[in-house]
Amino acid sequence: MAKARTVFLGAGCLLVVLGFIIMAVLVRGLAAPSLPGQMVVSLRLAGPIAEVTSEDPLAELMGDQATSLSNLRSVLNRVAEDDRVRGIRLRIDSIGGGFATAQELRSLIARVGAAGKWTAAYMDTAGEFMPGNLVYYVASACDEVSMNPQGDLNLIGISSRTPFIRGTFDKLDIQAEFPGRGDYKSARFMYTETEFTPEQEEMTGWLIDSLMEQMTVGIGDSRGMSGEEVRNLIDRAPFIGDESVDAGLIDRLEDWGSFNDRLDEREPDAREIGVRAYLHQSAKAHRGPKIAVVTGVGAIMRGASGESFNPLLGGEIMGSETIAKAFRDVADTPGVEAVVFRIDSPGGSAVASEIIRQEMVRVAADVPVVVSMSNVAGSGGYWITCGAQRIVAEPVTLTGSIGVYAGHLNTSGFWSDKLGVTYGRLDAGTNANIYGELENWTDEQRAIIDRMLDRIYDDFVERVAASRHMTPEAVDAIGRGRVFTGVQALENGLVDVLGGFDEALAEAKILADIDPDTEVELVHFPRPMSWWQELTRRRGSDQVALQAKVEFLQTWMTSGTLDTPGVVWMPPILIQ
């Protein structure tokens, strides 16, 4: 009887879910009449901005579907070409991405303005007791910027904070040994130092200076000021209330309702259209030459893409198995004339990076491959570009980091002295414990690690040299772990063109002998999950996360071993 009741309740829940999904699909269809002759497109930026998202009609019905950069790009490019659109109203609560995401959004907004449409931005505040640089950086691309009278303009400049956990290790009686190739390969210093090394401080300084210059010049160009004037204003920030208007950075202080009323009066005959409605109704039939878009996001590891639940180094994973299969699928898809490989990754495993690179090179032998770098494409994230015909980076993209390191922790003191845990040790093999973390390396084992690091670094340098038509000596001179912004990478010959996805697409057309004005069909790989696959994945994600964390702690307890991100992982640089 109980079993029958359970089956009945399960079936009832399934019917309810299906009912919601059917309703969402119907609402989506019914709520999307043909677009009016005059309209104002309204969009809101709040929370994460993913590269791509799956279509989820249930989430759309509930109003909580994430905004993807791919969709924003499609909307703003269509708006620029659509004579029915009078302007865009943009509400910015937060920018859930890096500087390159913000820079690409600025370029897209500027394209709308250049097409003769007005652009207006509204912010409740640009940061609330926190930096508001990115929020204002995007907002300032609009013709006019409004802010709530209670808001503050926290355009306070760029700062970087780098964690060092050597002091924690000392307190816990953990000994860290992290050899590497390149004094600028600074990810390892997080474990071994308590403050910046001279090279790390120098590199972080040039990154901040480059980003600061680009931000101030960009804002200045939008606001009719020089970069130096904006820099001087930043040194006076934050601006409270009317101070932001007096400084010439904000046009009006008004609440959201007043902002909307004023824009409605400007265009009394135009109807407001949301992003999703506009995107669905302005979609064009797929036609023209096919260009594949392969998207890889996250730390590079062997296996499938997904999410790491490592409590220390978690986040999105670019799985070599998933991305390699995506390139094989591209090769098997008839009619593909070029590929844009979109990358946002700090690197990771050298083996996984090489697996991805090899599959990309196989495709590049038949059709041109253009790399489009997003926020980060460093270390392994740069390795996987080697062999592409063109590399396009945003001016603020963090890239390079051509270097390698390996790590070893001796945690036996922590386990025995702090927790009272001791381990019985038996090894069958001279180096059976070389990857363990309960004793120091021997001199012979250090020599083995050094040979491994030399091989990986030499392979990295050789691949870059062949790809960039440079000598290994020239690559080594700009390598050694140095991280650059896109502007600096261009100066050093590591990228070919500055720009976002659209510039990469234009390069792909040129290489494929496609007329620049020809419409193309973008085919995305890996194939985006359908809404029902996404729904199934979400149901089990919490349980998987909990199980993964338990397994992590269990492994740590039984072996004393902590996983590290990989030998070609970029230094953790937090800049805001």
Side-chain angles (χ1 to χ4, degrees):
M1 185 69 178
K3 184 177 181 181
R5 185 182 297 111
T6 300
V7 172
F8 178 76
L9 289 174
C13 291
L14 180 60
L15 287 173
V16 170
V17 171
L18 288 174
F20 267 110
I21 292 170
I22 293 170
M23 187 188 306
V25 173
L26 290 174
V27 168
R28 177 174 169 180
L30 294 174
S34 60
L35 294 173
Q38 294 187 52
M39 56 188 149
V40 172
V41 175
S42 177
L43 60 153
R44 182 175 185 175
L45 300 177
I49 301 176
E51 270 297 327
V52 292
T53 56
S54 61
E55 288 294 325
D56 186 346
L58 184 59
E60 189 170 334
L61 178 66
M62 304 303 291
D64 61 353
Q65 183 164 338
T67 301
S68 72
L69 186 56
S70 177
N71 281 349
L72 289 171
R73 191 183 297 122
S74 296
V75 167
L76 292 171
N77 279 331
R78 291 179 196 176
V79 162
E81 299 173 353
D82 193 338
D83 292 336
R84 298 169 298 177
V85 176
R86 309 294 297 170
I88 60 171
R89 81 178 69 182
L90 175 64
R91 177 167 183 167
I92 309 176
D93 295 332
S94 62
I95 301 295
F99 269 87
T101 297
Q103 195 168 61
E104 183 166 9
L105 288 172
R106 278 183 55 88
S107 298
L108 292 166
I109 293 168
R111 191 170 300 160
V112 172
K117 292 105 173 32
W118 55 261
T119 57
Y122 172 86
M123 310 174 294
D124 283 328
T125 185
E128 187 171 9
F129 285 94
M130 63 184 298
N133 297 314
L134 289 187
V135 170
Y136 181 74
Y137 184 47
V138 173
S140 66
C142 292
D143 302 331
E144 57 177 86
V145 183
S146 296
M147 185 172 69
N148 192 290
Q150 191 61 39
D152 300 322
L153 180 54
N154 285 291
L155 181 64
I156 55 177
I158 298 172
S159 66
S160 171
R161 296 294 180 267
T162 301
F164 297 95
I165 58 176
R166 165 68 184 275
T168 302
F169 284 170
D170 289 344
K171 292 179 183 294
L172 296 177
D173 201 6
I174 296 174
Q175 300 175 52
E177 188 173 359
F178 280 75
R181 296 298 172 268
D183 292 336
Y184 294 87
K185 193 66 177 178
S186 57
R188 56 198 171 109
F189 299 142
M190 177 175 69
Y191 308 100
T192 62
E193 308 296 329
T194 58
E195 59 185 21
F196 281 131
T197 65
E199 293 82 5
Q200 187 178 13
E201 184 172 13
E202 177 193 10
M203 180 177 70
T204 306
W206 78 51
L207 291 174
I208 287 178
D209 289 345
S210 180
L211 294 175
M212 187 71 165
E213 180 180 8
Q214 292 184 58
M215 185 177 74
T216 54
V217 170
I219 292 172
D221 289 344
S222 298
R223 302 298 299 179
M225 304 177 183
S226 67
E228 184 178 358
E229 287 175 311
V230 175
R231 179 60 186 265
N232 291 335
L233 287 172
I234 286 174
D235 289 337
R236 290 168 43 197
F239 295 102
I240 302 170
D242 289 335
E243 294 173 354
S244 59
V245 178
D246 296 338
L249 296 171
I250 297 293
D251 297 293
R252 292 178 184 82
L253 295 180
E254 56 186 344
D255 62 27
W256 174 240
S258 300
F259 174 80
N260 281 316
D261 291 342
R262 182 172 57 79
L263 294 184
D264 287 343
E265 292 175 3
R266 174 187 292 183
E267 300 289 350
D269 298 324
R271 199 173 79 201
E272 181 182 353
I273 299 294
V275 167
R276 294 186 184 94
Y278 182 79
L279 195 61
H280 293 317
Q281 292 304 305
S282 63
K284 300 176 181 178
H286 291 164
R287 60 185 180 185
K290 291 181 182 177
I291 293 184
V293 180
V294 177
T295 301
V297 177
I300 302 171
M301 296 180 67
R302 288 179 295 117
S305 295
E307 186 174 355
S308 169
F309 299 106
N310 182 321
L312 299 179
L313 301 165
E316 286 191 87
I317 295 299
M318 186 197 306
S320 59
E321 181 180 315
T322 301
I323 304 303
K325 182 181 183 303
F327 275 108
R328 290 194 294 271
D329 289 343
V330 169
D332 292 339
T333 301
V336 171
E337 298 191 22
V339 180
V340 175
F341 186 13
R342 180 75 168 172
I343 300 171
D344 194 351
S345 173
S349 161
V351 175
S353 298
E354 178 62 6
I355 290 170
I356 293 171
R357 189 197 71 85
Q358 289 167 347
E359 292 296 340
M360 183 199 69
V361 168
R362 287 189 180 93
V363 172
D366 296 322
V367 297
V369 176
V370 176
V371 165
S372 173
M373 294 179 170
S374 184
N375 296 296
V376 183
S379 202
Y382 190 82
W383 183 309
I384 61 178
T385 72
C386 296
Q389 281 88 341
R390 292 280 193 284
I391 300 177
V392 180
E394 287 284 2
V396 295
T397 296
L398 298 183
T399 188
S401 194
I402 301 167
V404 58
Y405 77 101
H408 175 80
L409 299 175
N410 180 351
T411 62
S412 61
F414 165 73
W415 290 111
S416 61
D417 298 343
K418 305 301 181 182
L419 298 183
V421 178
T422 57
Y423 293 85
R425 307 180 192 185
L426 289 173
D427 298 319
T430 303
N431 296 310
N433 68 334
I434 192 171
Y435 302 120
E437 295 186 342
L438 293 173
E439 50 267 313
N440 290 328
W441 279 323
T442 64
D443 288 340
E444 292 77 13
Q445 288 171 339
R446 290 189 182 93
I448 293 171
I449 297 299
D450 280 339
R451 290 203 308 273
M452 295 170 71
L453 292 177
D454 285 337
R455 186 197 67 168
I456 296 170
Y457 182 68
D458 290 345
D459 287 348
F460 199 168
V461 168
E462 288 174 7
R463 282 156 178 71
V464 175
S467 174
R468 304 306 303 168
H469 307 293
M470 301 166 69
T471 65
E473 292 76 18
V475 174
D476 180 66
I478 59 173
R480 314 301 293 180
R482 292 176 177 86
V483 179
F484 302 108
T485 62
V487 169
Q488 296 163 338
L490 181 67
E491 294 171 352
N492 285 287
L494 294 179
V495 305
D496 300 293
V497 178
L498 295 180
F501 179 87
D502 289 333
E503 285 71 23
L505 184 61
E507 291 294 318
K509 286 183 175 182
I510 291 171
L511 293 174
D513 292 325
I514 299 172
D515 186 271
D517 297 325
T518 299
E519 292 185 15
V520 294
E521 177 186 352
L522 299 182
V523 186
H524 291 272
F525 300 87
R527 299 288 189 184
M529 282 191 289
S530 62
W531 59 265
W532 60 266
Q533 289 174 320
E534 180 68 19
L535 185 64
T536 303
R537 185 191 69 82
R538 288 179 189 174
R539 286 188 61 196
S541 62
D542 291 341
Q543 182 177 352
V544 170
L546 178 60
Q547 182 178 350
K549 290 175 182 177
V550 170
E551 290 176 354
F552 171 87
L553 294 173
Q554 192 175 46
T555 301
W556 186 32
M557 182 72 177
T558 55
S559 68
T561 301
L562 284 171
D563 289 335
T564 54
V567 296
V568 285
W569 189 57
M570 210 184 86
I573 301 173
L574 174 62
I575 298 176
Q576 58 182 15

